Amino acid sequence: MSLSLLHIHRLSRPSLESWRLFLVLFSAILLSGPASAKELPVTAIAVFDGPSGPAYVQITGFLLNGKSELRACDGVPKLNKAAYDALLRVQLAGAASLERNADGVLLLAANNAKPVCIVPGNLKFDRNAEFTPAEAAEQALLQGTVVSSSIPGNDLPLFKRGVRLVFVAAPDDELAQYLVAQRANSIAGWQDFLARHAASAHEGDAKNALASLHQEAADAAFARYEKSREIPALKQAQQQAIQSNKVVAGFPAAGRLRARINQELDALLEPDRAKLEAFRKALAEQTAGYARLRAAKKHNEELLSVNPEYAPLVNLRADIAGEIRKLDAALEAAEGVAGTKGYDQAIQALGPYRAFAAEDPRIESLVTAAYSAHFTRGRELAGQHDWENAVAEFRHATEIRSDSKEASAELKDAEAQWTAARDRQAVQRAIAESRDYAENKQFIEAYDVLAELPDAQRALVAGQFESLKKDYPAAATRRAQKLQEIHVPIRGRADEDAVREAYELLNRAAALSGEPAIKLRLDLLSDKISAYYLDQAKRYLEKPLGSGMGIGWLYLNQAERFTPHLPAVKDAMAQYGPAYQLKSRLSIGVILRDQTSRRDSPGFADQLADAISTGLESSGLSVKVVRQSSEKADAVQPNFVLVGEILEHRVVKDAGLETLPSKYRTGTREVRNDAWEQANHDYEAAQQQLSAAQRALADAQAHSRKKEVIAAATDAVAAAQKQVDDSKHKLDATPQTQIQSVTEPYNYTRRNIDLKASVQLAYRITDSAGNVVEPGVTFPRNNHKTVAVVENVKPEDTEGVKNQGTEPDEVQFLADVEIQARDALVKSVREKVLALPAKVLKEARSRAGQGDVDGAAEEYVVFLNATQEALSPDRQEAAGFLREHYNVAVANQQQLAASK
């Protein structure tokens, strides 16, 4: 088949590329059968939109307008009769598909070539009519025999826009149904196809398409979730992603989305974990918090609806369920005993869950029942004036409901009534006992019975005190005189107790009578007692190595108590005060040993010692820190010694130097521009095409009488002229030469710096005798850093190399590691030192058990000075030991003595 030059120009007017594509398609169709074949039988599957959705018919002997021959119209915007007759003829045989697109144009495809525009054969033209390819397609009529159809009837569809024909060697139901599913591209459509053709040739494509649809739905749901943060959208995304994986195992997009969903679930469950921990904290602290557990359970169930198999969610559900089970078990046990009116046992069975009464009606009911029982019983007992038992009942009620103002008021009133009743009874007994003593002329005992009453009760016996004032001073003075005659000088504990009794008698007698003679006797006796305690103090203070410092100091305090501002006592306190601060307080000597090269760590040992001292002094513990030297030891040593060691303290820098090649610009030169060369070539080619078109026009004007031929040649000349103009404009706009850099090689350097810092500290704590109290603890800290420093790069470098990197500061690098090691050591030291008072108490008990009374007493004094002054059992034990064995009281320990 040949084409005239005119026809070629008409067909290639839009672009040469379109012409080349057409030739590819035409060659494919032409070579698919014998060249002489005219009307080869064609079988096609027509896919179109039926009344109920996509449908198909299978057609044998397929023709378009009664022919299997079509005309190629690629690049032709409009057709008249002459142009139509000049179009290339194309056979349907060998084509792959024929489709009418959304623009209404018929597109024919062969193999993998790009579809080209065609118009049907037997196109009818009225006079001077012109058609666009879409208008020409309106005359296309499908013809052939329907061998099968997906819809009732055997009618061929109209060749409307969207109708597609796939050419096959023979009717193929499976392919037809695949094409329908492909056109519908819906989940239901692909599922229907796979149900019918589970093992077909198109199974893989169908599954991928179905998986993709599920994945699109999953992605859309996830996008909705990201906007709304609604759990149902996340659940839908998860379900659709699972369906994708079910259809195609390991579908990549589904796997990625499920990983993102798991990340969202991880973030969403964190608040539930926090609520669970808040519930547990509330349970431990006996505060409201059950609502948090309920909220965590509800939200966790919502998240489990997204992925009921996600392990973190399942584990959290188990933790929440465990807490709920424990609460329910406590409730059931409490309700069981409450049914038998065992309200106290019910509250006990509830345990800490009673704090949730305001949040749970069942708990509230149990608490209310127990409270009401005690409150009602308390009122009954109060009505009977049984104040002691009424107080017990009201106290139980307030313990159950601490916020009950009614119960608190009743309790306060009952306690006041009970106290008043007890005071009246105690006063009556004391008055009777005092009267008996007085009748027997035992005025001292009569007075003491009343004096020993508590302040509130003593106010009720003021009259009785007045009646005894006239007789008490004389009796007390006589007894004090007898005690002094027998027990002065003081030689032991019995004498000491008797003389102190005489002091108390004279002191009270002087206060009641105001007689100077009694005051003089009291002063003389005070001096004797103080002199005794001063002698005892010196005996202990002068013990070697300060081993009796604690007891001696307590005796000095006793001497100061009986005779304030005694010069000898003040002198002793000034002399032995420093030693007392070391031996009778929690004192720690700090020794630092630097085992490294001194040039590696100048001043670090002093800095570390300062940090340890500051850390201990700010620990809240009453501790005295002493900086010591390992070479020089004082006579009196601290109770404990902290020996710190700097085992390693260094920074190591390794630097490797590399010489690397690069290029730099030394100048410029002018060279031919490749873009101009191409533009010039295109311009010359356009000129040649224009010359050819002009010759064709001249030939048409000379030899052809058809106006259409001349018009076509004229159009070709105009198109060629436009191409020439465009090429000339592009050529003029392109510079003929361009500036090119001239480069030369050179070398730059890169220093690879490897920096390592190592600090290793250790410490141990010993007692003053060198025995290890806390074994050695080591603190190694290391850091490593690699830095590349690029240098000597020329500013004109053309390879993108730049000077970069700076040499790290070795001092700062090592200082950072020092701080880490120092902080870790100081923290550990503080923790160990906070445990020392307990060790001191343990040592005191051990010495007491071995019969070393003085040694135990010294340890008890250290313990008392190291701990807070509160009525703790351990401090009561220490004060009691000192009172029992030395008849002394620790400063501010009067409350302790009274409590015994």
Side-chain angles (χ1 to χ4, degrees):
M1 180 177 294
S2 63
L3 293 173
S4 69
L5 182 60
L6 177 62
H7 294 154
I8 293 174
H9 280 304
R10 285 179 61 81
L11 292 171
S12 63
R13 187 165 53 184
S15 69
L16 292 174
E17 179 62 25
S18 297
W19 173 243
R20 284 194 290 269
L21 288 170
F22 170 73
L23 288 178
V24 172
L25 175 68
F26 177 70
S27 300
I29 297 175
L30 194 63
L31 295 174
S32 64
S36 59
K38 296 293 185 179
E39 301 290 342
L40 294 176
V42 176
T43 302
I45 302 172
V47 185
F48 57 95
D49 291 330
S52 302
Y56 74 88
V57 295
Q58 296 199 71
I59 311 166
T60 58
F62 173 77
L63 298 173
L64 194 64
N65 287 2
K67 285 183 169 293
S68 63
E69 182 182 81
L70 310 172
R71 304 292 180 97
C73 60
D74 213 38
V76 180
K78 280 195 174 183
L79 300 168
N80 55 24
K81 177 62 174 169
Y84 175 75
D85 291 338
L87 293 178
L88 283 173
R89 302 170 186 271
V90 180
Q91 295 293 323
L92 284 174
S97 66
L98 175 62
E99 181 177 6
R100 191 171 183 193
N101 67 9
D103 295 329
V105 178
L106 295 176
L107 297 176
L108 186 69
N111 298 328
N112 294 322
K114 181 180 178 182
V116 297
C117 171
I118 60 100
V119 292
N122 287 342
L123 199 61
K124 304 300 182 184
F125 287 89
D126 295 333
R127 180 172 295 182
N128 298 327
E130 283 187 335
F131 297 129
T132 64
E135 291 169 343
E138 290 293 333
Q139 296 187 27
L141 179 64
L142 303 180
Q143 295 174 312
T145 303
V146 175
V147 295
S148 68
S149 174
S150 64
I151 59 176
N154 292 322
D155 297 332
L156 290 171
L158 296 176
F159 207 172
K160 296 179 180 180
R161 300 182 187 207
V163 175
R164 181 171 180 246
L165 294 109
V166 177
F167 301 112
V168 293
D172 189 338
D173 289 341
E174 184 270 336
L175 176 59
Q177 293 174 10
Y178 173 78
L179 294 173
V180 168
Q182 188 181 56
R183 185 181 185 90
N185 197 30
S186 66
I187 291 175
W190 285 118
Q191 288 175 339
D192 181 66
F193 173 78
L194 289 170
R196 295 169 181 266
H197 305 283
S200 71
H202 297 93
E203 179 188 14
D205 292 339
K207 285 186 175 181
N208 282 327
L210 179 57
S212 296
L213 287 175
H214 281 300
Q215 189 58 38
E216 288 175 7
D219 291 337
F222 191 77
R224 290 197 304 275
Y225 162 75
E226 289 184 311
K227 290 182 180 179
S228 66
R229 312 305 293 180
E230 293 178 351
I231 300 302
L234 190 64
K235 176 181 178 181
Q236 185 179 3
Q238 172 77 6
Q239 291 173 341
Q240 291 295 331
I242 290 173
Q243 290 302 318
S244 292
N245 276 332
K246 283 184 178 179
V247 175
V248 178
F251 197 66
R256 290 191 295 270
L257 181 59
R258 292 180 72 179
R260 290 185 66 190
I261 292 172
N262 286 345
Q263 291 175 356
E264 290 295 324
L265 291 175
D266 287 337
L268 289 170
L269 65 81
E270 280 307 315
D272 295 337
R273 280 204 183 103
K275 289 185 179 70
L276 176 60
E277 291 307 314
F279 164 79
R280 288 170 171 166
K281 183 180 179 183
L283 186 63
E285 296 177 355
Q286 291 288 275
T287 59
Y290 184 41
R292 295 187 180 93
L293 184 67
R294 288 201 300 261
K297 179 178 183 294
K298 180 180 179 181
H299 192 246
N300 179 255
E301 289 172 350
E302 292 179 4
L303 297 182
L304 281 167
S305 70
V306 176
N307 186 353
E309 298 177 356
Y310 190 49
L313 288 175
V314 174
N315 293 338
L316 181 58
R317 176 177 61 183
D319 291 343
I320 294 173
E323 295 295 343
I324 292 175
R325 279 196 301 272
K326 287 190 284 187
L327 188 149
D328 288 341
L331 260 174
E332 289 177 7
E335 288 172 338
V337 294
T340 61
K341 299 189 181 302
Y343 299 116
D344 288 341
Q345 293 85 344
I347 294 298
Q348 186 177 1
L350 276 177
Y353 298 111
R354 59 183 286 192
F356 304 145
E359 301 172 277
D360 188 285
R362 294 170 64 189
I363 299 176
E364 171 66 20
S365 176
L366 291 168
V367 170
T368 299
Y371 168 81
S372 298
H374 284 294
F375 184 77
T376 302
R377 180 58 180 159
R379 280 192 164 178
E380 291 175 356
L381 293 169
Q384 301 167 9
H385 299 289
D386 186 352
W387 300 113
E388 180 177 1
N389 290 319
V391 165
E393 293 295 334
F394 286 133
R395 185 171 290 131
H396 280 317
T398 56
E399 288 170 356
I400 295 171
R401 282 201 184 282
S402 59
D403 59 344
S404 173
K405 294 180 179 180
E406 185 180 28
S408 298
E410 293 284 359
L411 173 61
K412 184 177 180 180
D413 181 64
E415 286 177 335
Q417 295 288 351
W418 186 29
T419 300
R422 285 184 302 170
D423 288 347
R424 288 194 297 271
Q425 294 172 1
V427 166
Q428 289 171 1
R429 287 195 298 270
I431 291 174
E433 188 175 356
S434 176
R435 185 181 298 114
D436 291 341
Y437 281 126
E439 289 175 353
N440 294 317
K441 308 298 182 181
Q442 295 176 291
F443 301 111
I444 296 174
E445 288 76 6
Y447 188 92
D448 287 345
V449 167
L450 300 178
E452 290 172 359
L453 290 172
D455 292 342
Q457 297 176 10
R458 194 162 50 242
L460 302 176
V461 294
Q464 284 75 11
F465 271 124
E466 287 298 324
S467 65
L468 292 172
K469 277 185 178 180
K470 63 180 185 300
D471 297 318
Y472 181 85
T477 302
R478 288 194 298 272
R479 182 176 293 183
Q481 182 64 34
K482 289 181 180 178
L483 290 172
Q484 290 182 67
E485 290 173 356
I486 298 171
H487 297 287
V488 176
I490 303 171
R491 297 183 180 84
R493 178 64 177 270
D495 293 337
E496 179 185 350
D497 290 340
V499 170
R500 288 176 63 167
E501 181 184 351
Y503 173 86
E504 293 298 333
L505 290 169
L506 289 175
N507 189 36
R508 186 175 292 171
L512 290 175
S513 67
E515 294 181 13
I518 298 176
K519 181 67 171 62
L520 178 61
R521 289 186 177 187
L522 177 64
D523 291 341
L524 292 174
L525 182 58
S526 297
D527 291 341
K528 293 178 182 178
I529 297 174
S530 293
Y532 168 75
Y533 282 127
L534 182 59
D535 289 341
Q536 292 293 99
K538 288 181 178 180
R539 184 165 63 87
Y540 280 96
L541 292 173
E542 291 171 358
K543 281 190 173 184
L545 301 178
S547 59
M549 197 62 61
I551 302 172
W553 197 266
L554 290 178
Y555 277 131
L556 286 178
N557 286 332
Q558 289 290 85
E560 174 72 11
R561 173 191 165 195
F562 285 97
T563 306
H565 311 299
L566 192 64
V569 173
K570 287 186 176 181
D571 292 342
M573 285 185 170
Q575 178 182 354
Y576 295 102
Y580 170 77
Q581 293 296 322
L582 279 179
K583 296 303 294 183
S584 298
R585 291 183 58 189
L586 186 62
S587 56
I588 298 178
V590 178
I591 299 176
L592 260 298
R593 297 170 179 168
D594 191 347
Q595 299 187 20
T596 67
S597 171
R598 293 297 191 273
R599 66 175 180 272
D600 289 338
S601 55
F604 182 54
D606 292 336
Q607 179 196 26
L608 188 60
D610 290 341
I612 293 172
S613 299
T614 303
L616 291 178
E617 289 168 354
S618 62
S619 65
L621 191 67
S622 179
V623 58
K624 181 175 179 58
V625 182
V626 182
R627 297 280 292 276
Q628 290 186 298
S629 170
S630 57
E631 291 83 13
K632 181 181 178 181
D634 297 329
V636 178
Q637 292 292 306
N639 294 315
F640 299 95
V641 179
L642 185 150
V643 181
E645 294 181 286
I646 305 173
L647 303 177
E648 186 176 7
H649 183 273
R650 62 175 180 165
V651 60
V652 179
K653 183 175 78 172
D654 294 327
L657 186 64
E658 292 181 273
T659 302
L660 302 172
S662 187
K663 294 180 181 179
Y664 74 102
R665 187 176 67 251
T666 60
T668 59
R669 63 184 178 186
E670 195 173 37
V671 297
R672 294 290 295 272
N673 188 355
D674 292 340
W676 184 89
E677 293 284 352
Q678 181 62 45
N680 186 53
H681 179 271
D682 294 342
Y683 176 62
E684 291 174 352
Q687 286 181 318
Q688 292 175 2
Q689 290 181 1
L690 176 59
S691 297
Q694 289 170 341
R695 287 194 298 272
L697 176 59
D699 182 62
Q701 290 172 341
H703 299 94
S704 177
R705 296 181 180 179
K706 292 184 178 181
K707 294 180 181 180
E708 295 84 353
V709 175
I710 295 172
T714 302
D715 291 344
V717 170
Q721 183 62 56
K722 185 179 183 304
Q723 185 69 25
V724 169
D725 294 341
D726 292 344
S727 300
K728 182 65 168 64
H729 177 73
K730 183 177 181 181
L731 180 64
D732 293 342
T734 304
Q736 190 171 359
T737 62
Q738 62 181 5
I739 302 301
Q740 185 180 66
S741 297
V742 178
T743 61
E744 293 289 340
Y746 81 102
N747 294 326
Y748 66 93
T749 58
R750 181 170 67 192
R751 287 190 297 135
N752 297 313
I753 301 173
D754 189 85
L755 204 58
K756 296 179 181 178
S758 300
V759 175
Q760 185 171 355
L761 308 176
Y763 79 91
R764 65 183 182 275
I765 298 176
T766 66
D767 60 17
S768 57
N771 301 313
V772 175
V773 176
E774 290 291 347
V777 185
T778 305
F779 299 90
R781 293 295 184 271
N782 303 286
N783 200 2
H784 181 219
K785 184 177 185 179
T786 303
V787 178
V789 181
V790 179
E791 300 173 316
N792 303 320
V793 178
K794 291 184 178 294
E796 301 84 5
D797 189 281
T798 60
E799 304 301 306
V801 182
K802 296 181 180 179
N803 286 322
Q804 61 181 5
T806 56
E807 187 167 346
D809 186 341
E810 297 177 42
V811 175
Q812 184 59 47
F813 188 67
L814 180 60
D816 292 340
V817 183
E818 287 177 355
I819 292 170
Q820 295 175 19
R822 181 200 68 200
D823 290 349
L825 183 140
V826 171
K827 180 182 178 183
S828 177
V829 167
R830 289 181 63 174
E831 293 172 351
K832 298 296 185 184
V833 170
L834 287 172
L836 287 179
K839 294 181 180 292
V840 171
L841 180 61
K842 182 179 179 181
E843 178 66 17
R845 290 167 176 169
S846 174
R847 293 192 179 191
Q850 297 168 6
D852 182 3
V853 178
D854 286 350
E858 291 295 326
E859 296 293 338
Y860 275 126
V861 170
V862 173
F863 172 75
L864 287 169
N865 287 332
T867 55
Q868 297 297 324
E869 295 177 356
L871 296 175
S872 69
D874 293 335
R875 288 178 60 82
Q876 290 180 18
E877 172 191 334
F881 184 89
L882 295 172
R883 221 176 19 254
E884 177 185 353
H885 293 280
Y886 299 93
N887 203 20
V888 294
V890 180
N892 297 324
Q893 293 298 316
Q894 290 84 354
Q895 289 182 328
L896 287 172
S899 68
K900 295 297 285 186

